[in-house]
Amino acid sequence: MFETDEGTRAGLSRRAFLTGVAGTGAIAALSGLAGCAPAAQQEKTASDPKADAASGPKTYDKVDKSYDTDLLIVGGGGSGLACAVQAALNKTNFILIEKGGELGGNASFVEGMFAIESKMADDLGIRVTPSEIIEAELERGQHRQNGALWMDLCTKSAENIDWCLEQGVMYRGDIDNYNGGLYPTFHWFKDGKCKIGYVEPMIKRVEELGIDVHLNTAATALIMKDGAVVGAYAEGDEGVVQYNCKAVVFATGGFGGNPELIEKQGWDIENLFVVGSSNAAGDAYRMALEVGAKDFMSDSAQSILYNIPALPPIDFHKDALNPVNGYFGIAAGGPVLWVNENCERYTRENLTDDNLVLQCIPGKGNLANYVVFDQAIFDQFFGTTDEGRAMFEDAVSGDKTETLFKADSVKGLADACGLDADALTKTVERYNELAKKGVDEDFGKPAEKMIAIEEGPFYLAKLGYSFFFEVGGVTTDKQRRVLNEESQPIEGLYAIGNDGNMLYRHVYTINMPGTAFGNQVNSGREAANNVASFLKA
């Protein structure tokens, strides 16, 4: 790697990098990129970095700094770190750029990773085969997924654990099903925190290997020539930077921090709470589509939960098990009633029992979703701690979001939030009838969760969404190459991690523990290895 003008960027970036190591608990960012464009595009200057696919990549009249390298890795989160370390071990000439001021990204949220047939599993007497994993996944995804991708993850997962251990990654030593998954595949990181077990050791490895890291550098567009990637543009501390290279790997974390793209995926963003990093802004998705990549948006999946906007937003590490606003709180369903804008019941409310992130899927097409319950239901199932009861009472009395209503009657609830009182009353009456029968003849919810709503005061909350991350967006093949509209590889362009995750279709099957982060490591390593082969060819 070398600069095309004077300076010692490598030394400066490493000093900045070391400064950032101390703060890896904060959510850093992943990034995006751009490079050397066709002559026709060099003549035009796009002033808007959010240019759509039709306008083509952004270009610049003036470049403040240029670098020549073989590979540019865009994003230093979980997958970007794996890609960078593997590329360094392969002796590839490359630069890693990161939009944020430190490495780690959303990986800091993770607690463990997927693997089967690892030495740790063997030592614990755990036996799970690829066929068990793959059939369970494909069945739950209605066989929309490509089983070869799952086979690739399964058969390389043990090797990935070994590789991580060689790099200094630390595991806790136990493997389980992560609180209810289908199989014991979850290899816990040390202290149950990826930040401690994976991110910090991998950052140390990056420094040991002398990897050239450019922090605070956000890729803005790809540079193409004759249909192949020849570089990328970025903006950062050095101004406009041009990276001339033969291959680019996108590892920007997806678009889970970009409300506009979340809305494009079909979600109502009126009461949206972005749990993950806002830096996962869809940079790779935008830049890939600008050069003709095949859009995977309509098939992509997401980690998303209902929330009640009047309640405090979820704190990822503190509120998971809070019975009021946590993952299994009031919004998550269970012994409550869900209705849509027409006051119709539209699904069984215990979908969380099947898959934590399945709860939001049936209501995605509704104009609005509501949860209805009474004081007795709250006291029995949700208000089980002094802290929880106080949180709820404060939310009811101090609601400024106009999403949580209390009334002495069901009709009063409807009037308070502008719903059809007769329709809501009839729906509650039907629900109570089924609850007293002990059989949900309409949707099949278990009898123990069919609790009549009849003891006032009554409550109704309009549901919003907590959006953690998205998986998939840019279409890739098993080699992690980005595909064009004709499903042919775009030469020199790769996407890994959440940017190019093709394991899921529509529904993120969270019940196979650790597979998302297992894919981060696997896709990062595979992209680095495939780029090495591409460069040799």
Side-chain angles (χ1 to χ4, degrees):
M1 296 165 286
F2 61 94
E3 305 172 7
T4 54
D5 59 354
E6 296 180 2
T8 54
R9 169 60 187 264
L12 290 172
S13 65
R14 288 199 186 97
R15 287 197 293 275
F17 160 75
L18 287 170
T19 301
V21 170
T24 51
I27 301 174
L30 307 166
S31 80
L33 63 95
C36 348
Q41 290 184 355
Q42 294 281 11
E43 295 174 0
K44 74 178 184 69
T45 299
S47 59
D48 182 6
K50 299 171 68 176
D52 59 24
S55 68
K58 179 181 175 68
T59 59
Y60 296 83
D61 289 332
K62 179 179 179 294
V63 172
D64 300 304
K65 194 83 167 183
S66 295
Y67 294 93
D68 292 345
T69 187
D70 288 333
L71 167 64
L72 182 69
I73 300 174
V74 181
S79 60
L81 284 170
C83 187
V85 171
Q86 184 64 66
L89 294 172
N90 293 344
K91 308 298 183 184
T92 300
N93 180 33
F94 73 97
I95 297 172
L96 169 64
I97 69 172
E98 163 59 44
K99 179 192 271 186
E102 57 192 15
L103 302 176
N106 277 337
S108 295
F109 282 124
V110 179
E111 297 159 299
M113 65 182 280
F114 167 88
I116 60 173
E117 302 176 324
S118 67
K119 185 179 185 302
M120 275 192 278
D122 288 343
D123 291 344
L124 294 170
I126 296 173
R127 303 283 186 270
V128 181
T129 65
S131 63
E132 291 176 286
I133 299 293
I134 294 168
E135 176 55 29
E137 278 295 325
L138 296 185
E139 180 182 0
R140 282 158 181 77
Q142 296 183 323
H143 287 264
R144 291 187 177 99
Q145 311 98 306
N146 184 337
L149 300 177
W150 277 98
M151 178 62 75
D152 182 73
L153 174 63
C154 288
T155 56
K156 293 177 180 174
S157 60
E159 175 191 334
N160 289 331
I161 295 287
D162 291 341
W163 181 84
C164 283
L165 288 168
E166 291 171 2
Q167 310 316 316
V169 172
M170 298 176 289
Y171 297 90
R172 205 165 67 183
D174 54 330
I175 302 170
D176 61 24
N177 66 347
Y178 191 64
N179 304 312
L182 296 175
Y183 293 96
T185 61
F186 199 77
H187 291 55
W188 287 85
F189 289 121
K190 182 181 178 181
D191 295 346
K193 296 180 180 179
C194 184
K195 172 184 177 289
I196 294 172
Y198 178 89
V199 173
E200 291 178 355
M202 289 292 278
I203 288 176
K204 181 180 179 182
R205 193 71 175 121
V206 165
E207 179 62 18
E208 290 172 347
L209 292 167
I211 293 172
D212 194 358
V213 181
H214 296 188
L215 299 174
N216 301 310
T217 303
T220 56
L222 289 167
I223 304 172
M224 306 293 291
K225 183 176 181 180
D226 299 329
V229 171
V230 293
Y233 290 118
E235 297 179 11
D237 293 341
E238 296 183 307
V240 175
V241 183
Q242 179 170 323
Y243 293 94
N244 301 313
C245 59
K246 301 170 185 175
V248 168
V249 174
F250 282 136
T252 73
F255 58 79
N258 186 329
E260 291 181 6
L261 291 179
I262 293 171
E263 185 176 35
K264 179 180 175 181
Q265 199 182 31
W267 299 101
D268 179 4
I269 63 171
E270 179 185 3
N271 291 302
L272 178 73
F273 172 59
V274 174
V275 182
S277 172
S278 60
N279 284 316
D283 295 337
Y285 175 79
R286 172 185 57 79
M287 288 184 282
L289 261 62
E290 286 174 351
V291 299
K294 188 173 183 179
D295 194 343
F296 192 71
M297 172 76 77
S298 61
D299 282 329
S300 62
Q302 58 284 305
S303 179
I304 184 171
L305 304 180
Y306 278 133
N307 68 37
I308 296 173
L311 294 172
I314 289 176
D315 180 297
F316 186 85
H317 293 296
K318 296 179 181 178
D319 296 327
L321 299 180
N322 188 302
V324 174
N325 72 329
Y327 297 170
F328 305 95
I330 300 168
V336 295
L337 169 65
W338 280 342
V339 298
N340 62 16
E341 70 277 7
N342 297 316
C343 300
E344 299 166 328
R345 189 181 178 208
Y346 57 90
T347 186
R348 58 179 172 87
E349 295 85 357
N350 70 317
L351 293 176
T352 297
D353 295 344
D354 300 18
N355 178 343
L356 182 63
V357 300
L358 189 61
Q359 58 187 256
C360 300
I361 303 299
K364 185 178 181 182
N366 295 336
L367 294 179
N369 298 285
Y370 302 88
V371 58
V372 185
F373 54 100
D374 63 14
Q375 189 68 49
I377 291 173
F378 175 81
D379 291 342
Q380 180 180 352
F381 295 98
F382 306 113
T384 55
T385 67
D386 291 340
E387 179 186 8
R389 287 191 295 273
M391 174 193 293
F392 184 72
E393 290 167 5
D394 289 346
V396 172
S397 61
D399 177 30
K400 294 181 173 59
T401 65
E402 298 184 353
T403 59
L404 181 57
F405 304 91
K406 177 181 179 180
D408 293 329
S409 65
V410 172
K411 180 181 183 302
L413 288 180
D415 291 341
C417 63
L419 293 174
D420 186 318
D422 289 340
L424 183 60
T425 299
K426 289 178 182 178
T427 296
V428 172
E429 288 175 348
R430 172 60 176 168
Y431 185 81
N432 289 347
E433 175 189 338
L434 297 175
K436 292 173 182 177
K437 277 186 178 183
V439 179
D440 183 4
E441 298 173 347
D442 293 346
F443 292 99
K445 186 163 74 172
E448 65 270 18
K449 295 192 176 180
M450 292 291 295
I451 312 297
I453 303 170
E454 53 188 1
E455 293 188 31
F458 299 90
Y459 299 95
L460 180 148
K462 184 176 183 180
L463 296 171
Y465 297 111
S466 295
F467 202 102
F468 290 77
F469 58 87
E470 141 280 336
V471 283
V474 179
T475 306
T476 59
D477 62 12
K478 198 167 73 170
Q479 287 72 46
R480 316 298 168 178
R481 299 175 298 184
V482 174
L483 304 181
N484 64 19
E485 291 288 354
E486 288 74 43
S487 296
Q488 297 299 313
I490 296 174
E491 186 175 323
L493 186 58
Y494 300 76
I496 60 177
N498 289 344
D499 287 332
N501 191 333
M502 303 289 287
L503 292 174
Y504 312 96
R505 297 292 192 282
H506 305 294
V507 177
Y508 174 48
T509 47
I510 196 173
N511 47 14
M512 198 63 69
T515 51
F517 198 77
N519 176 70
Q520 305 282 358
V521 175
N522 192 55
S523 63
R525 294 189 64 209
E526 290 223 332
N529 292 334
N530 289 322
V531 166
S533 298
F534 167 73
L535 293 174
K536 288 179 182 177

